[in-house]
Amino acid sequence: MKALVYEGPWQMPLREVPEPEPGPEDVIVAVKAVGVCGSDIHGFTGASGRRIPPMIMGHEFSGEIRAVGAAVTDHRPGERVVVQPIITCGQCINCLAGLPNICTNRRGLGMMTTNGAYAELVCVPQQLLYELPAEVSWEHGALVEPLSVAMHAVNQTPIQLMDTVLILGAGTIGLMTLLSCRLKGAGKIIVADLSPHRLEVARKLGADVTVNPAAEDLGEVVRRYAGPAGAPVVMEAVGVTATARQSLELVRPGGHVTWIGNAMPTIEIPMQQVVTREVTIRGVYAFNVEFGRAIETIRSGRVDVSPIIEQVTPLEEGPQIAHDLAKGTLDAIKVVLRP
Ligand SMILES: [Zn+2]
Ligand SMILES: [Zn+2]
């Protein structure tokens, strides 16, 4: 089968590789749509260290069951599915506490050393399968995973009805955080990003105020709309030093900062700004119940994720897409590959 094999920083050629063989509890999914995630690009360049070559990336995907393992009785070939990509142990303290997203033994399909869906076929443990309703397209199915991440971030954050929320970053996760904050009853939503194009999509998706910090004083805009003390809630969806610092500077004393971005392993922040202002910083990772709910959120039309998908292209284009996204010469929010 054809697959994009990550072979080292900036190297992800299309290769012919052996088809995966299902274990007794596995299914083989023929990938119909797979999203290119920012974390894949940070892995592609080697910046995050979270993709260990040689491996196949791709964790945001939908597809059709091609074959099932000997012990699989609840699924059969032909079913439309969307795959929750995190494999958990079910036995560690976090799994037992109902927090499988932070399972100490977790592996992610398409992360670290585990193969994912930048391929024609992918082997998936059967417990990761969710039905993709007939009325949800393959491409929208590929957006269930990032929407789940944003819904989890918003679920973990205490947002009161009509709170002003500042979102730093208008990539896929930032924009889905915007949609999720709206669902949760946020008041004014301010979105900041350096890309005018992304800010335009943010406005299309319902942002009240958009700011380009390169052109405008972000602090002044936040104080104008949220009050002189800053925003009660700040969602950081970039994961670098500059935006982590902005999140602390622009939250009001006693406010809540949620860090979703996961690009730089280490950053330096002004600790006293947190301590003396009693700011709560919360890290959020992946999702739990949100995965199934994200499918229903899209199916029911409560959010429209269409404006986030900016390019749908064959798998073969993947190497060029990854290169252009990493270089910044392509400013597409979500690219979906169709194997
Ligand atoms: Zn992702
Ligand atoms: Zn576990």
Side-chain angles (χ1 to χ4, degrees):
M1 67 166 182
K2 290 192 178 69
L4 302 181
V5 181
Y6 175 59
E7 298 180 341
W10 298 88
Q11 298 298 319
M12 192 168 64
L14 184 75
R15 297 272 187 221
E16 190 64 37
V17 300
E19 292 191 1
E21 287 290 328
E25 306 270 357
D26 297 334
V27 306
I28 300 297
V29 173
V31 181
K32 295 289 190 183
V34 52
V36 176
C37 177
S39 68
D40 294 331
I41 300 306
H42 300 136
F44 172 72
T45 63
S48 70
R50 293 183 54 80
R51 304 289 184 273
I52 317 291
M55 58 86 67
I56 300 168
M57 302 189 199
H59 57 272
E60 309 175 349
F61 63 103
S62 61
E64 192 178 281
I65 296 180
R66 173 67 57 84
V68 304
V72 174
T73 53
D74 294 345
H75 296 282
R76 50 186 60 83
E79 285 176 18
R80 301 174 93 241
V81 292
V82 53
V83 177
Q84 187 284 96
I86 301 174
I87 304 167
T88 57
C89 74
Q91 286 160 13
C92 73
I93 187 166
N94 294 322
C95 281
L96 294 176
L99 302 169
N101 64 319
I102 47 170
C103 166
T104 51
N105 304 307
R106 70 179 182 269
R107 290 186 298 133
L109 294 175
M111 297 169 215
M112 306 305 275
T113 58
T114 306
N115 284 341
Y118 286 0
E120 289 176 301
L121 301 172
V122 58
C123 181
V124 174
Q126 63 168 335
Q127 72 270 19
L128 302 184
L129 298 174
Y130 285 71
E131 181 194 344
L132 181 65
E135 62 267 45
V136 180
S137 69
W138 299 118
E139 289 86 354
H140 285 189
L143 288 195
V144 168
E145 197 271 354
L147 179 60
S148 311
V149 171
M151 286 174 65
H152 179 66
V154 169
N155 271 343
Q156 296 297 100
T157 307
I159 299 172
Q160 304 295 307
L161 284 169
M162 298 307 285
D163 265 348
T164 297
V165 177
L166 169 64
I167 298 173
L168 299 170
T172 299
I173 299 294
L175 293 172
M176 288 187 162
T177 299
L178 158 64
L179 294 171
S180 303
C181 285
R182 191 56 85 213
L183 274 181
K184 198 169 179 176
K188 281 195 195 77
I189 301 180
I190 307 167
V191 177
D193 198 285
L194 292 170
S195 157
H197 163 64
R198 286 168 189 239
L199 294 176
E200 189 187 310
V201 178
R203 284 192 292 276
K204 205 179 288 177
L205 290 173
D208 298 286
V209 181
T210 58
V211 198
N212 184 338
E216 270 184 286
D217 181 341
L218 176 59
E220 197 275 316
V221 174
V222 170
R223 285 186 288 276
R224 192 189 324 151
Y225 288 96
V233 177
V234 181
M235 311 294 287
E236 198 283 348
V238 183
V240 301
T241 304
T243 44
R245 283 171 165 257
Q246 284 167 348
S247 71
L248 302 178
E249 280 157 20
L250 300 174
V251 72
R252 76 170 173 223
H256 291 267
V257 170
T258 297
W259 284 354
I260 321 168
N262 182 16
M264 287 171 75
T266 307
I267 58 164
E268 196 174 302
I269 56 161
M271 185 178 180
Q272 284 185 341
Q273 219 167 43
V274 178
V275 174
T276 62
R277 299 164 70 241
E278 289 208 339
V279 168
T280 301
I281 304 176
R282 177 178 283 100
V284 292
Y285 183 77
F287 39 77
N288 290 314
V289 294
E290 291 86 0
F291 199 87
R293 294 180 185 185
I295 298 173
E296 178 56 14
T297 305
I298 293 174
R299 191 207 62 77
S300 62
R302 280 182 171 77
V303 302
D304 178 14
V305 294
S306 306
I308 294 173
I309 302 177
E310 296 199 298
Q311 202 168 328
V312 179
T313 191
L315 184 70
E316 288 74 6
E317 301 294 323
Q320 190 64 45
I321 295 280
H323 187 271
D324 294 349
L325 288 171
K327 280 273 185 217
T329 52
L330 173 63
D331 186 21
I333 296 169
K334 179 59 72 187
V335 178
V336 173
L337 304 176
R338 296 287 312 261

